[in-house]
């Protein structure tokens, strides 16, 4: 990359609307779209974390960035289509996860990353449970899937990496 | 004394906009969740439209090279089992050579009888080879997205197979993409029979690599290595299609290993169930 192109990209990235709204939404969209590709190649389908959910929680925990609720709804609807879950379920979980993270981050005034990770873990576990109950209620199989905990733990373990990559991509000076 | 600016209609709307959008979103979610069981066709259309829209992005990612690497690592892991597999293959080969002569004789006889009776050649509906562009995983479902839809002649209930056997069926067909529900999905139930004794059961998925046989007969004799075939009951799957082998038996709990993990195939063959029956009749007259 030429220095002028790097400079231009850096300027675009630092532009206020891009940094606050566009980049968080686009990066979450990319991760939502990456999930089915990873599912197709992963040795075990339970080893693929909920990347979209991680990104959404990360951006919701950041006071400066905002993914509007309607945008989370569309991302959730896309995730429903790609993941084969009942339509509207991921959409609901995305909005609830976003609202819970925003509310708790504000109330607890989280500064340290470990605390933020703990909050993300709680939200991920709750989201997985809500998803499972939703799938059980809306599909023909009224029971919890056996690999629920593996999936949740993998997602919790991957969260710091996603958060770090997204922070770095949003602002390379970090 | 500060004067208060008059509240114009446009200001009133803009100040209420976030609340209106949030309320609309909540109503939309509730409507969608209610529509899932009540309007499955509408929901299916919404999903396939979104899948069609995202297919152009999904197909950019080159899945095949990553798959080849995954297959290579799997084959390294399987190297220890090569000796046993080799012996089994030699045995199979000897058996198949004996059957080959018999099959040829029957094929010739069949052709002669067809000619004698004046049976017209069957017109086969087309089958479609579709590229896998994504999959679903996690704890909730097991399916793959393929790059072929209604515009290619793919419809709901088309059979998905690979070079070894059947892997699932099409449950959603968009214009350019379709979703194939795999046998391993937690909601998948397939009528099957096991081995030479042809004992019937239902093969149930559990979102795990192994499948389970349920509704077994009392005198079940299935043992490790027995091949599991579709029985054709219910009319969704054509009969005598290979699915997998019995992996283990613990009392009445029998698990089955599918012949291959369809997620790691680069392509799937989607065909009309009627075509699958005709092809089978051709191959095994």
């Amino acid at each position: 990359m030429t220095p002028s192109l790097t400079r231009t990209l850096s300027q675009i990235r630092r532009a206020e609307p891009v940094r606050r709204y566009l980049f968080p939404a686009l990066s979450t969209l990319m991760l939502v779209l990456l999930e089915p590709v990873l599912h197709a190649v992963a040795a075990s389908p339970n080893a693929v974390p909920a990347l979209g959910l991680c990104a959404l929680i990360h951006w919701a925990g950041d006071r400066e960035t905002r993914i509007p609720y309607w945008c989370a709804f569309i991302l959730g609807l896309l995730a429903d289509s790609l993941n084969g879950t009942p339509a509207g379920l991921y959409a609901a979980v995305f909005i609830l996860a976003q609202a819970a993270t925003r509310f708790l981050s504000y109330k607890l005034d989280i500064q340290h990353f470990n605390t933020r990770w703990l909050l993300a873990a709680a939200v991920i576990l709750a989201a997985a449970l809500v998803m499972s109950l939703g799938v059980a209620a809306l599909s023909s199989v009224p029971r919890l899937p056996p690999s629920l905990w593996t999936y949740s733990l993998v997602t919790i373990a991957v969260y710091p990496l996603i958060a770090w990559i997204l922070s770095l991509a949003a602002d390379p000076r970090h | 004394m500060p004067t208060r600016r008059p509240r114009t209609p446009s200001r009133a709307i803009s100040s209420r906009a976030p609340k209106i959008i949030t309320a609309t979103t909540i109503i939309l979610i509730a409507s969608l969740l209610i529509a899932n069981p009540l309007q499955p066709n509408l929901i299916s259309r919404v999903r396939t439209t979104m899948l069609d829209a995202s297919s152009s992005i999904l197909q950019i990612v080159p899945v095949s090279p990553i798959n080849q690497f995954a297959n290579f690592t799997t084959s390294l892991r399987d190297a220890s089992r090569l000796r046993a597999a080799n012996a089994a293959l030699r045995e199979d080969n000897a058996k198949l050579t004996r059957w080959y002569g018999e099959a040829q004789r029957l094929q010739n006889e069949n052709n002669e009888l067809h000619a004698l009776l004046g049976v017209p050649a069957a017109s086969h509906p087309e089958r479609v080879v579709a590229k896998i562009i994504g999959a679903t995983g996690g704890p909730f479902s097991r399916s793959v997205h393929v790059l072929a839809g209604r515009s290619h002649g793919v419809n709901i209930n088309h059979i998905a197979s690979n070079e070894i056997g059947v892997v699932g069926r099409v449950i959603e067909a968009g214009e350019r993409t379709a979703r194939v529900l795999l046998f391993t999905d937690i909601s998948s139930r397939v009528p099957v029979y096991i081995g030479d004794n042809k004992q019937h059961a239902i093969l149930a998925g559990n979102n795990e690599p192994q499948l389970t046989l349920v509704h077994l007969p009392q005198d079940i004799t299935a043992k490790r290595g027995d091949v599991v075939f579709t029985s054709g009951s219910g009319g969704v799957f054509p009969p005598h299609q290979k699915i997998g082998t019995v992996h283990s038996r613990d009392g009445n709990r029998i698990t089955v290993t599918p012949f291959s993990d369809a997620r790691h195939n680069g392509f799937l063959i989607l065909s009309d169930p009627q075509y699958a029956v005709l092809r089978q009749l051709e191959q095994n007259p």
Side-chain angles (χ1 to χ4, degrees):
Chain A
M1 240 186 321
T2 59
S4 59
L5 185 63
T6 316
R7 211 177 311 122
T8 315
L9 277 176
S10 178
Q11 278 168 356
I12 291 171
R13 224 163 10 202
R14 264 177 286 179
E16 195 57 13
V18 174
R19 197 175 65 81
R20 287 194 69 177
Y21 301 103
L22 200 61
F23 184 73
L26 279 179
S27 57
T28 311
L29 172 70
M30 283 298 129
L31 289 174
V32 167
L33 287 170
L34 186 65
E35 261 181 67
V37 178
L38 290 182
H39 278 304
V41 296
S44 163
N46 295 328
V48 179
L51 298 175
L53 185 65
C54 283
L56 202 82
I57 292 171
H58 168 73
W59 294 123
D62 188 338
R63 282 189 188 194
E64 289 187 4
T65 55
R66 286 282 176 267
I67 295 182
Y69 284 114
W70 62 265
C71 189
F73 168 74
I74 292 171
L75 288 168
L77 211 55
L78 179 67
D80 277 324
S81 303
L82 296 173
N83 290 304
T85 44
L89 194 57
Y90 253 109
V93 166
F94 271 20
I95 288 178
L96 287 174
Q98 197 183 17
T101 311
R102 267 188 205 175
F103 176 76
L104 290 172
S105 301
Y106 177 74
K107 279 280 170 197
L108 303 173
D109 193 22
I110 293 171
Q111 302 289 337
H112 202 268
F113 180 76
N114 287 350
T115 326
R116 190 188 270 204
W117 189 9
L118 205 64
L119 170 67
V123 174
I124 289 166
L125 280 173
L129 204 62
V130 171
M131 283 292 299
S132 306
L133 292 173
V135 170
L138 294 166
S139 67
S140 53
V141 191
R143 64 195 160 107
L144 292 183
S147 49
L148 182 68
W149 302 117
T150 319
Y151 169 77
S152 307
L153 290 176
V154 170
T155 307
I156 292 167
V158 166
Y159 175 79
L161 181 68
I162 301 289
W164 177 69
I165 291 172
L166 290 176
S167 303
L168 204 67
D171 190 349
R173 290 168 301 177
H174 273 200
Chain B
M1 194 175 150
T3 54
R4 206 171 162 183
R5 279 173 64 190
R7 197 173 169 85
T8 60
S10 61
R11 269 192 72 198
I13 291 170
S14 63
S15 68
R16 283 183 194 162
K19 283 181 186 169
I20 293 170
I21 292 170
T22 309
T24 314
T25 310
I26 291 168
I27 291 167
L28 267 173
I29 288 174
S31 316
L32 276 171
L33 291 174
I34 293 166
N36 270 295
L38 299 178
Q39 295 283 338
N41 291 341
L42 173 75
I43 293 297
S44 179
R45 266 208 302 278
V46 172
R47 296 157 76 97
T48 50
T49 307
M50 293 204 87
L51 197 57
D52 278 349
S54 54
S55 66
S56 40
I57 299 174
L58 287 177
Q59 62 178 308
I60 294 170
V61 183
V63 173
S64 298
I66 310 172
N67 265 339
Q68 278 167 12
F69 178 73
N71 290 342
F72 173 70
T73 50
T74 311
S75 54
L76 279 182
R77 211 169 42 225
D78 289 347
S80 57
R81 284 180 286 185
L82 272 180
R83 191 185 291 269
N86 199 21
L89 280 173
R90 276 175 201 281
E91 203 177 308
D92 280 353
N93 194 32
K95 225 184 275 181
L96 286 171
T97 312
R98 280 199 299 277
W99 275 105
Y100 181 70
E102 181 64 13
Q104 265 192 330
R105 189 187 67 74
L106 286 169
Q107 174 79 61
N108 291 338
E109 189 182 286
N110 190 47
N111 289 344
E112 279 172 25
L113 288 171
H114 269 240
L116 198 67
L117 292 169
V119 177
S123 64
H124 294 167
E126 272 187 39
R127 62 178 181 157
V128 178
V129 178
K131 184 185 176 190
I132 294 178
I133 53 169
T136 68
F140 308 114
S141 71
R142 292 286 182 278
S143 60
V144 290
H145 308 304
V146 291
L147 197 60
R150 284 197 302 271
S151 58
H152 306 92
V154 174
N155 277 311
I156 290 174
N157 279 342
H158 270 203
I159 305 304
S161 49
N162 57 19
E163 69 281 7
I164 304 170
V166 184
V167 295
R169 69 185 172 94
V170 174
I171 55 162
E172 280 171 356
E175 225 20 68
R176 289 185 299 142
T177 55
R179 192 155 76 90
V180 174
L181 188 79
L182 302 177
F183 289 144
T184 44
D185 187 272
I186 199 163
S187 61
S188 168
R189 298 288 181 275
V190 185
V192 293
Y193 69 83
I194 308 133
D196 297 333
N197 293 338
K198 297 200 171 180
Q199 288 180 308
H200 286 246
I202 299 289
L203 190 65
N206 199 26
N207 284 358
E208 296 287 324
Q210 310 286 333
L211 305 153
T212 315
L213 286 170
V214 294
H215 300 299
L216 300 163
Q218 293 284 333
D219 57 341
I220 184 83
T221 56
K223 58 184 186 303
R224 192 183 158 92
D226 280 353
V227 180
V228 177
F229 299 88
T230 54
S231 70
S233 307
V236 176
F237 288 99
H240 320 303
Q241 306 282 314
K242 284 190 285 184
I243 295 179
T245 54
V246 172
H247 175 256
S248 69
R249 183 174 176 179
D250 180 13
N252 264 358
R253 186 182 151 71
I254 300 176
T255 58
V256 173
T257 307
F259 279 121
S260 69
D261 188 344
R263 293 176 310 117
H264 294 158
N265 287 119
F267 294 88
L268 283 181
I269 299 165
L270 306 178
S271 54
D272 194 286
Q274 189 196 355
Y275 171 78
V277 173
L278 291 170
R279 190 163 156 257
Q280 198 170 37
L281 285 173
E282 269 183 4
Q283 288 173 347
N284 307 302

